[in-house]
């Protein structure tokens, strides 16, 4: 018999309540001794029977309004109905209004805490547990209310960008905005900012528990070190002496921990109540090619309920919040705070465009927080064009895993491109020519240095990294300690090697694949060599960010003694054309190329149940089974908990075999329903994937890689070019020269240009209309001379610092000043106005005039208006932002008869 939709919804709600620790009872069968939390169906109120009334320790605390699933999209329309029940008197009880209000279909649930300031409903994965409610009702204020009581932030040792980020984040909390994004350039101290904010949440808002979420173990360990090193302002004890910080490395979560650090993979396994192999935390899971058709399942876990964390800080959030993992974040009833240096459009969307901090690399360079970079290009013939191995030539064949070689004659011609290098084909001469050129050109790249600057080389694979290391040691004539590999696959402890690279004289050169491509701080690093290409814009920016950190000269000299000046830039050595590769914002969601076997295995291990995944995985394992040796098969069996590769293939195929599913369902339920058949399929999936673990994945990946590479010892490479990147500068110069010619040609016929050429002898008002007319004429005559494009060209020539222009008009004014020689270097217009304003205020206050703080605030508002509109009229005072401060009448109160003169002076002194 089919149930009606209302009953289906209530059955689901009953299940959710029971999972959350509630006893569900009918109004005629109430027994409060059954448990501390009782949900009573159909309890009578003055507004009518409520679908559920929640009691904790016999006291009513909330209501649930149940609706059919199809009403989920309009569930907010019943908020008034549930509120009426919550504010009504209950039968037999003289109650106050109930604070907890839910609306639910059993699929979609929304929750309002009426005790919050300006109570606002939010989506919830499940219901609060009775013991949580008991504790919360003992508190005088809710967490969202306590956020309003936090003291004003003191500047102390915070950078300006950190102070602004925390201040605006706390304002976002007060506005009860569920998500916020902190965008700060690499090196600007995102983690320090986050820990400072976390301390204030714990100390002043009494947050119960905060999660610091990362996507690799390396970043988790690094975050843990920063918590241990952090001393809160006004304290002489470290953060970890004041509050318990736990980095999660098992299913156990310390109930006393105030801060938990976890990878998102670990958190997912904890919710599933399963152990996780640490190797699964070594690589960012979002950098895989596998995309399941549906999100990985997340089910309620009473050990880690939805209210477990008040706030979740998501490090490197631009890569941790999508696809496989978004539903893990959706599980928790917590504020979500993202940290990233490189947000993309999806990042802004996920955080509801609530950007509380925008501090890009350009601003960090201008403020001396980061350093900029120069590009040095190394091009070889084979890197660009590949090569041909003629038929009957003798080559080496090498197993990738064992690196065992054998000499063999090729039967037919082998043609390879530069893109195939270090995958199917290895050409030692190509690697050697790149490294040899780098060594020979070091005096040009880093003049007056006696030792090789700390250098990081990005390799394609671990095998490629090994080849590079061997060549580096040979070409530089150095020993093992000179150049080392920093990846998870190295036999040495990667953390120890990384610490030496950061703090000691050796190694001078480190080679990595992914481990220190993002989020790892190596301040003395002065050179990045790209021997692998990168197509992801965000990932490339993260990789470049490894070199941006500033360092004091005395600290730099400790590891690089011949350094004679403070690190003011780093060098990118482009040995593969990475700077010319078109970068995309994100990975495409649909791909034609095959998914890496390692990615399929990881998806299966993490619980993805997808027919395409299981069939693909079985097929790929079947091919490997035919290629590996008996010894390798035995090793597989040992790592797969006694299951052979053939048995695993069968088990994977059984998951979507109707006969196998039917047989399993009958063994489990005798007369299975369709829902029970699906449960049987899930059981088969668990059995099939249970043997898959991190060690097995690594072994299978290595076995797959043991297929041979051709070592091309026939074709000798040669250097074609080594020098500073001039292509970009050449294009920039052509554009700038075109702009100069246009300005010179039209200087007499365009009012705005006439104004500039009359400087400094003729000081009249430059108007918004004048600049707009010039911009429109330029766009009509020369579309290529777009101001923001010209700005980028000048960045190649002038080493422009400071914030990018607010709009095309302000950019155009700065560009004209530069091209006609008013400014020696391109200077953001806002910076010019700031400097002129400072000079004007200083000159005024050197005389009898002394501005009050309130007057200065008005003058700063006027300055900001002129910086974007070039002119201030008295009528402008009736509009934003002046109107909210009292408008023209308030200015008259502040400046009296001097008002008109002040406006005229600012227009004259500040503009251009």
């Amino acid at each position: 018999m089919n149930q009606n939709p209302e009953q289906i919804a209530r059955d689901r709600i009953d299940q959710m309540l029971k999972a959350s620790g509630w006893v569900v009872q009918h109004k005629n069968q109430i027994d409060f001794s059954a448990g501390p939390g009782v949900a009573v169906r159909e309890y009578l109120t003055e507004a009518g029977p409520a679908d559920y009334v929640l009691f904790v320790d016999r006291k009513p605390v909330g209501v649930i309004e149940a609706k059919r699933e199809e009403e989920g999209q309009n569930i907010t329309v019943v908020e008034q109905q549930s509120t009426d029940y919550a504010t009504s008197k209950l039968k037999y009880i003289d109650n106050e209004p109930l604070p907890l209000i839910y609306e639910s279909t059993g699929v979609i649930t929304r929750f309002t805490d009426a005790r919050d300031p300006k109570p606002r409903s939010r989506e919830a994965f499940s219901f609060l547990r009775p013991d949580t409610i008991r504790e919360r009702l003992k508190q005088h204020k809710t967490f969202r209310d306590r956020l309003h009581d936090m003291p004003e932030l003191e500047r102390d040792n915070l950078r300006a960008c950190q102070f602004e980020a925390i201040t605006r984040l706390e304002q976002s909390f007060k506005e009860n905005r569920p998500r916020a994004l902190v965008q700060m350039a690499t090196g600007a101290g995102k983690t320090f900012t986050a820990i400072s904010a976390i301390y204030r949440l714990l100390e002043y808002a009494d947050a119960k528990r905060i999660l610091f979420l990362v996507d690799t173990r390396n970043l988790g360990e690094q975050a843990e070190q920063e918590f241990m090193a952090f001393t809160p302002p006004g304290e002489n004890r470290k953060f970890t002496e004041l509050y318990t910080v736990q980095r999660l490395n098992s299913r156990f979560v310390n109930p006393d921990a105030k801060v938990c650090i976890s990878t998102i993979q670990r958190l997912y396994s904890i919710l599933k109540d399963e152990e996780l192999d640490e190797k699964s935390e070594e690589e960012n899971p979002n950098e895989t090619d596998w995309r399941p058709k549906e999100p990985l399942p997340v089910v309620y876990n009473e050990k880690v309920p939805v209210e477990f964390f008040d706030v979740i800080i998501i490090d490197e959030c631009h890569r941790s919040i999508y696809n496989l993992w978004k539903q893990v974040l959706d599980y928790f009833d917590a504020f979500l705070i993202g940290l990233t240096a490189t947000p993309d459009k999806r990042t802004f969307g996920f955080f509801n465009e609530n950007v509380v901090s925008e501090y890009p690399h350009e601003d960090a360079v201008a403020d001396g927080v980061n350093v900029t970079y120069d590009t040095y290009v190394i091009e070889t013939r084979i890197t660009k064009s590949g090569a041909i191995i003629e038929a009957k030539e003798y080559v080496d064949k090498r197993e990738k895993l064992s690196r065992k070689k054998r000499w063999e004659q090729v039967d037919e011609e082998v043609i390879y491109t530069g893109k195939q290098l270090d995958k199917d084909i290895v050409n030692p001469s190509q690697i050697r020519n790149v490294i040899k050129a780098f060594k020979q050109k070091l005096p040009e790249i880093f003049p007056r240095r006696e030792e090789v600057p700390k250098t990081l080389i990005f390799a394609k694979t671990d095998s490629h990294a090994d080849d590079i290391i061997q060549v580096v040691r040979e070409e530089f004539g150095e020993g093992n300690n000179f150049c080392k590999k920093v990846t998870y696959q190295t036999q040495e402890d990667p953390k120890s090697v990384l610490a030496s690279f950061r703090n000691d004289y050796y190694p001078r050169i480190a080679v990595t694949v992914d481990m220190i491509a993002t989020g790892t701080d190596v301040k003395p690093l002065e050179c990045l060599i790209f021997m692998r290409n990168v197509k992801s814009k965000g990932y490339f920016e993260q990789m470049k960010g490894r070199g941006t950190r500033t360092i004091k000269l005395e600290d730099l000299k400790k590891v690089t003694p011949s350094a004679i000046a403070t690190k003011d830039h780093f060098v990118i050595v482009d040995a593969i054309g990475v700077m010319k590769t078109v970068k995309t914002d994100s990975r495409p969601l649909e791909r034609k190329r095959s998914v890496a076997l390692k990615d399929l295995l990881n998806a299966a291990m993490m619980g993805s149940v997808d027919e395409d995944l299981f069939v693909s995985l079985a097929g790929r394992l079947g091919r490997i089974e035919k290629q590996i040796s008996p010894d390798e098969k035995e090793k597989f069996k040992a790592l797969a908990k006694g299951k052979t590769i053939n048995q695993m293939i069968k088990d994977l195929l059984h998951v979507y075999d109707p006969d196998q599913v039917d047989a399993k369902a009958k063994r489990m339920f005798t007369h299975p329903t369709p829902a029970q058949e699906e449960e049987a399929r899930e059981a088969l999936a668990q059995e099939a994937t249970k043997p898959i673990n991190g060690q097995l994945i690594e072994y299978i990946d290595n076995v797959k890689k043991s297929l041979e590479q051709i070592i091309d010892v026939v074709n000798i490479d040669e250097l074609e070019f080594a020098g500073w990147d001039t292509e970009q500068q050449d294009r920039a110069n052509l554009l700038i020269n075109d702009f100069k010619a246009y300005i010179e040609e039209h200087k007499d016929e365009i009012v705005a240009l006439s104004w500039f050429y009359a400087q400094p002898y003729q000081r009249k008002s430059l108007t918004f209309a004048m600049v707009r007319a010039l911009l429109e004429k330029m766009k009509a005559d020369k579309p290529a001379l777009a101001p923001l494009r010209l700005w980028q060209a000048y960045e190649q020539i002038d080493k422009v610092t400071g914030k990018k222009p607010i709009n095309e008009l302000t950019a155009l004014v700065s560009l004209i000043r530069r091209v006609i020689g008013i400014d020696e270097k391109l200077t953001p217009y806002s910076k010019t106005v700031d400097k002129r304003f400072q000079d004007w205020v200083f000159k005024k206050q050197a005389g009898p005039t002394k501005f009050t703080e309130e007057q200065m605030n008005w003058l700063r508002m006027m300055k900001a208006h002129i910086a974007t509109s070039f002119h201030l009229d008295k009528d402008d005072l009736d509009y934003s932002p002046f109107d909210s401060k009292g408008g023209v009448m308030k200015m008259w109160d502040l400046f009296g008869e001097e008002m008109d003169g002040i406006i005229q002076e600012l227009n004259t002194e500040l503009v251009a």
Side-chain angles (χ1 to χ4, degrees):
M1 181 178 176
N2 292 330
Q3 290 182 309
N4 64 54
E6 288 84 357
Q7 189 56 48
I8 291 172
R10 293 191 185 207
D11 288 347
R12 287 175 178 156
I13 292 169
D14 286 356
Q15 292 171 5
M16 291 169 61
L17 284 165
K18 291 171 184 175
S20 299
W22 295 87
V23 177
V24 181
Q25 299 176 349
H26 191 268
K27 64 178 181 181
N28 296 328
Q29 299 172 327
I30 296 175
D31 178 7
F32 286 127
S33 66
V38 176
V40 180
R41 295 196 202 99
E42 303 295 335
Y43 197 96
L44 289 175
T45 76
E46 288 181 346
D51 290 327
Y52 296 82
V53 174
L54 304 177
F55 292 83
V56 173
D57 299 332
R58 297 175 177 264
K59 295 179 181 178
V61 295
V63 298
I64 303 172
E65 177 65 19
K67 290 297 175 184
R68 294 173 297 173
E69 182 177 349
E70 53 266 33
E71 295 180 283
Q73 61 181 350
N74 295 315
I75 199 165
T76 55
V77 303
V78 302
E79 287 173 351
Q80 186 57 53
Q81 185 179 358
S82 49
T83 300
D84 288 344
Y85 291 134
T87 53
S88 295
K89 294 292 185 182
L90 304 183
K91 192 172 184 180
Y92 309 121
I93 304 173
D94 183 19
N95 58 286
E96 296 294 324
L98 309 186
L100 309 181
I101 305 169
Y102 288 95
E103 299 85 31
S104 181
T105 66
V107 176
I108 300 295
T109 300
R110 295 194 68 83
F111 166 60
T112 304
D113 190 332
R115 300 192 306 154
D116 287 339
K118 298 181 180 179
R120 183 189 307 158
S121 71
R122 56 188 186 266
E123 195 161 329
F125 185 89
S126 191
F127 303 105
L128 295 176
R129 298 186 67 80
D131 53 343
T132 301
I133 294 172
R134 180 192 298 119
E135 292 304 312
R136 288 189 178 182
L137 293 180
K138 287 179 183 177
Q139 297 171 325
H140 180 60
K141 293 184 175 182
T142 67
F143 176 58
R144 282 167 170 73
D145 201 358
R146 297 195 298 273
L147 290 169
H148 287 256
D149 298 334
M150 296 175 69
E152 188 173 334
L153 178 66
E154 298 291 336
R155 181 65 62 95
D156 293 314
N157 60 340
L158 295 170
R159 293 171 177 159
C161 61
Q162 296 169 335
F163 178 81
E164 181 182 6
I166 297 171
T167 301
R168 292 182 60 188
L169 175 60
E170 292 182 356
Q171 182 59 37
S172 177
F173 284 141
K174 291 175 183 177
E175 293 169 2
N176 193 14
R177 303 186 71 166
R179 300 178 181 184
L181 179 63
V182 175
Q183 185 268 316
M184 295 177 72
T186 298
K190 292 189 296 295
T191 307
F192 184 89
T193 303
I195 297 173
S196 300
I198 288 170
Y199 170 75
R200 287 174 56 81
L201 288 168
L202 294 172
E203 184 72 10
Y204 303 119
D206 193 23
K208 180 180 179 182
R209 191 178 293 107
I210 295 173
L211 173 65
F212 192 90
L213 196 63
V214 297
D215 59 16
T216 62
R217 189 173 80 239
N218 178 43
L219 292 181
E221 292 168 346
Q222 192 168 294
E224 183 179 32
Q225 292 299 315
E226 294 207 42
F227 274 100
M228 292 170 69
F230 183 84
T231 303
E235 279 283 348
N236 55 15
R237 292 175 294 172
K238 299 292 185 185
F239 186 103
T240 46
E241 295 178 86
L242 297 167
Y243 297 107
T244 301
V245 176
Q246 181 192 15
R247 184 170 64 83
L248 304 181
N249 51 25
S250 70
R251 281 185 291 181
F252 172 71
V253 181
N254 182 354
D256 296 324
K258 301 299 285 185
V259 176
C260 294
I261 303 170
S262 176
T263 63
I264 200 160
Q265 305 93 298
R266 172 75 58 190
L267 187 63
Y268 178 65
S269 72
I270 288 172
L271 290 180
K272 291 178 67 180
D273 202 22
E274 295 177 356
E275 289 295 346
L276 180 71
D277 192 296
E278 282 196 354
K279 289 188 177 297
S280 302
E281 300 179 282
E282 291 177 357
E283 296 181 9
N284 164 26
N286 198 53
E287 290 293 327
T288 67
D289 293 335
W290 173 254
R291 293 290 181 270
K293 294 176 181 176
E294 295 181 0
L296 296 182
V298 173
V299 296
Y300 186 86
N301 186 330
E302 63 178 13
K303 297 176 185 175
V304 188
V306 296
E307 65 267 28
F308 200 69
F309 300 109
D310 286 327
V311 178
I312 299 177
I313 311 283
I314 310 158
D315 195 24
E316 304 297 352
C317 64
H318 62 280
R319 64 190 196 190
S320 305
I321 56 179
Y322 317 112
N323 306 316
L324 301 179
W325 309 108
K326 178 179 178 295
Q327 68 279 12
V328 178
L329 299 174
D330 289 341
Y331 174 86
F332 292 101
D333 180 31
F335 287 101
L336 301 182
I337 312 302
L339 307 179
T340 183
T342 54
D344 59 23
K345 292 176 182 177
R346 298 178 306 166
T347 318
F348 291 119
F350 180 88
F351 288 99
N352 303 331
E353 300 180 45
N354 182 26
V355 185
V356 297
S357 167
E358 288 185 279
Y359 190 67
H361 173 71
E362 293 81 7
D363 288 0
V365 171
D367 293 344
V369 174
N370 280 355
V371 297
T372 189
Y373 66 91
D374 294 325
T375 304
Y376 196 89
V377 177
I378 294 176
E379 293 178 345
T380 74
R381 178 176 54 82
I382 290 177
T383 306
K384 290 173 66 177
S385 307
I388 300 174
I389 304 172
E390 301 290 346
K392 306 304 180 184
E393 286 282 7
Y394 280 90
V395 297
D396 278 337
K397 292 282 188 76
R398 182 177 73 186
E399 294 180 3
K400 294 180 186 176
L401 181 59
S402 66
R403 298 181 71 81
K404 180 181 176 182
K405 293 181 184 177
R406 59 190 175 85
W407 187 245
E408 186 178 285
Q409 189 180 46
V410 294
D411 295 329
E412 40 186 51
E413 182 182 73
V414 177
I415 302 173
Y416 64 89
T417 66
K419 291 182 179 179
Q420 290 173 276
L421 284 169
D422 310 302
K423 296 175 183 175
D424 306 319
I425 307 284
V426 175
N427 186 307
S429 179
Q430 182 266 342
I431 298 173
R432 191 171 302 280
N433 271 271
V434 170
I435 300 303
K436 187 184 294 184
F438 173 62
K439 180 190 175 187
Q440 291 173 348
K441 298 295 183 178
L442 268 174
E444 178 184 341
I445 304 172
F446 290 95
R448 301 186 299 280
R449 289 293 183 90
E450 295 176 11
E451 66 277 297
V452 179
K454 290 280 186 175
T455 298
L456 179 63
I457 301 177
F458 292 112
K460 297 173 185 175
T461 64
D462 276 287
S463 178
H464 186 212
D466 288 333
D467 291 334
I468 292 170
I469 289 168
Q470 180 179 328
V471 173
V472 167
R473 291 170 178 172
E474 290 176 7
E475 287 300 319
F476 281 89
E478 294 284 355
N480 295 346
N481 60 351
F482 177 81
C483 179
K484 291 194 173 185
K485 183 164 68 170
V486 189
T487 74
Y488 287 111
Q489 307 302 327
T490 185
Q491 291 185 348
E492 287 188 75
D493 176 16
K495 287 185 288 183
S496 175
V497 177
L498 183 56
S500 295
F501 186 49
R502 182 185 290 124
N503 302 315
D504 302 333
Y505 185 82
Y506 288 116
R508 302 306 304 169
I509 298 177
V511 185
T512 192
V513 180
D514 287 312
M515 180 178 168
I516 56 175
T518 61
T520 303
D521 184 5
V522 184
K523 290 183 178 180
L525 189 58
E526 295 184 85
C527 185
L528 304 178
I529 302 180
F530 281 86
M531 294 182 72
R532 62 169 287 191
N533 210 345
V534 184
K535 294 182 180 179
S536 164
K537 180 180 177 181
Y539 193 43
F540 182 56
E541 292 300 321
Q542 289 281 328
M543 294 167 83
K544 286 197 303 185
R546 299 316 98 217
T548 62
R549 304 296 178 104
T550 57
I551 185 172
K552 295 177 182 177
L553 178 58
E554 56 267 31
D555 293 331
L556 179 59
K557 289 176 76 69
K558 289 176 183 177
V559 295
T560 305
S562 66
I564 58 175
T566 302
K567 176 183 172 183
D568 60 4
H569 76 289
F570 68 100
V571 176
I572 290 176
V573 176
D574 183 1
I576 201 166
V578 69
M579 301 300 288
K580 298 177 184 177
T581 302
V582 177
K583 306 292 188 292
T584 58
D585 272 343
S586 59
R587 290 169 167 265
L589 296 179
E590 293 184 16
R591 296 162 175 257
K592 292 182 180 179
R593 66 185 178 88
S594 61
V595 176
L597 175 59
K598 187 175 184 179
D599 294 345
L600 295 176
L601 288 162
N602 271 301
M605 179 182 69
M606 295 309 296
S608 183
V609 181
D610 183 290
E611 186 171 4
D612 288 347
L613 169 64
F614 281 53
V615 172
S616 297
L617 189 51
R620 302 280 274 280
L621 290 175
R623 289 199 292 274
I624 286 178
E625 195 275 337
K626 292 180 175 64
Q627 296 170 344
I628 62 177
S629 67
D631 287 345
E632 288 169 331
K633 290 177 182 177
E634 283 301 312
K635 176 72 171 175
F636 179 100
K637 183 178 179 181
L639 292 173
K641 302 173 184 175
K643 186 170 286 190
T644 67
I645 192 167
N646 274 326
Q647 185 59 54
M648 181 178 285
I649 292 166
K650 289 178 183 177
D651 289 350
L652 288 166
L653 294 174
H654 285 171
V655 176
Y656 284 91
D657 181 332
D659 292 337
Q660 295 293 331
V661 173
D662 182 60
K664 178 70 173 178
K666 287 177 178 176
R667 289 196 298 272
M668 292 174 65
F669 303 106
T670 309
H671 300 292
T673 64
Q676 289 171 332
E677 286 181 356
E678 191 57 37
E679 193 175 334
R681 187 193 307 282
E682 290 176 4
L684 285 173
Q686 286 185 354
E687 291 170 11
T689 57
K690 191 173 183 179
I692 301 176
N693 56 71
Q695 282 186 304
L696 180 65
I697 292 172
E698 183 183 357
Y699 178 72
I700 295 172
D701 190 48
N702 285 331
V703 165
K704 181 180 71 71
K705 290 175 181 175
S706 68
L707 302 177
E708 294 174 320
Q709 295 174 310
I710 293 176
I711 309 297
D712 180 6
V713 293
V714 178
N715 291 290
I716 302 302
D717 203 2
E718 55 189 27
L719 182 68
E720 290 193 346
F721 176 78
W724 297 107
D725 185 4
T726 58
E727 249 185 64
Q728 289 177 314
Q729 289 192 347
D730 289 344
R731 288 195 297 270
N733 276 318
L734 283 173
L735 195 64
I736 289 167
N737 289 335
D738 197 12
F739 179 56
K740 288 178 180 177
Y742 181 86
I743 295 297
E744 181 64 28
E745 180 184 351
H746 296 280
K747 66 180 182 181
D748 295 327
E749 63 183 89
I750 298 174
V751 176
L753 291 180
S754 302
W755 187 93
F756 278 103
Y757 275 94
Q759 289 288 333
Y761 310 108
Q762 182 184 340
R763 303 301 291 272
K764 296 179 181 178
S765 293
L766 178 69
T767 67
F768 186 89
M770 289 161 60
V771 181
R772 168 64 70 185
L774 171 57
L775 177 61
E776 289 176 354
K777 180 166 178 54
M778 272 182 54
K779 283 185 171 181
D781 295 346
K782 290 271 190 178
L785 299 182
L788 298 182
R789 187 180 178 197
L790 282 164
W791 192 280
Q792 289 178 330
Y794 266 109
E795 285 181 321
Q796 300 294 321
I797 308 301
D798 275 3
K799 306 292 185 202
V800 182
T801 59
K803 292 185 177 181
K804 287 185 181 294
I806 297 170
N807 54 48
E808 289 185 310
L809 295 173
T810 56
L812 184 55
V813 171
S814 297
L815 289 161
I816 295 171
R817 288 175 58 91
R818 173 68 180 90
V819 81
I820 69 174
I822 296 176
D823 294 330
E824 291 183 5
K825 284 190 174 183
L826 183 62
T827 306
Y829 183 61
S830 59
K831 203 170 181 180
T832 301
V833 173
D834 285 345
K835 179 66 169 62
R836 287 185 175 277
F837 180 71
Q838 289 172 5
D839 293 343
W840 179 78
V841 171
F842 180 79
K843 183 172 64 176
K844 294 289 286 186
Q845 300 210 128
T849 302
K850 304 295 179 187
F851 294 124
T852 67
E853 184 58 33
E854 192 172 12
Q855 287 176 320
M856 281 302 301
N857 287 335
W858 265 78
L859 293 172
R860 291 187 191 104
M861 282 196 296
M862 296 162 74
K863 180 259 294 184
H865 180 87
I866 290 171
T868 56
S869 301
F870 313 111
H871 187 80
L872 176 70
D873 289 320
K874 190 187 294 186
D875 291 345
D876 293 330
L877 300 176
D878 291 327
Y879 299 97
S880 179
F882 307 102
D883 58 339
S884 64
K885 305 293 183 182
V888 68
M889 294 306 297
K890 181 62 178 178
M891 187 172 178
W892 175 265
D893 289 341
L894 291 173
F895 295 97
E897 294 180 355
E898 295 181 10
M899 180 178 77
D900 291 341
I902 292 281
I903 293 173
Q904 184 176 348
E905 281 190 52
L906 288 175
N907 281 327
T908 302
E909 296 294 332
L910 304 193
V911 178

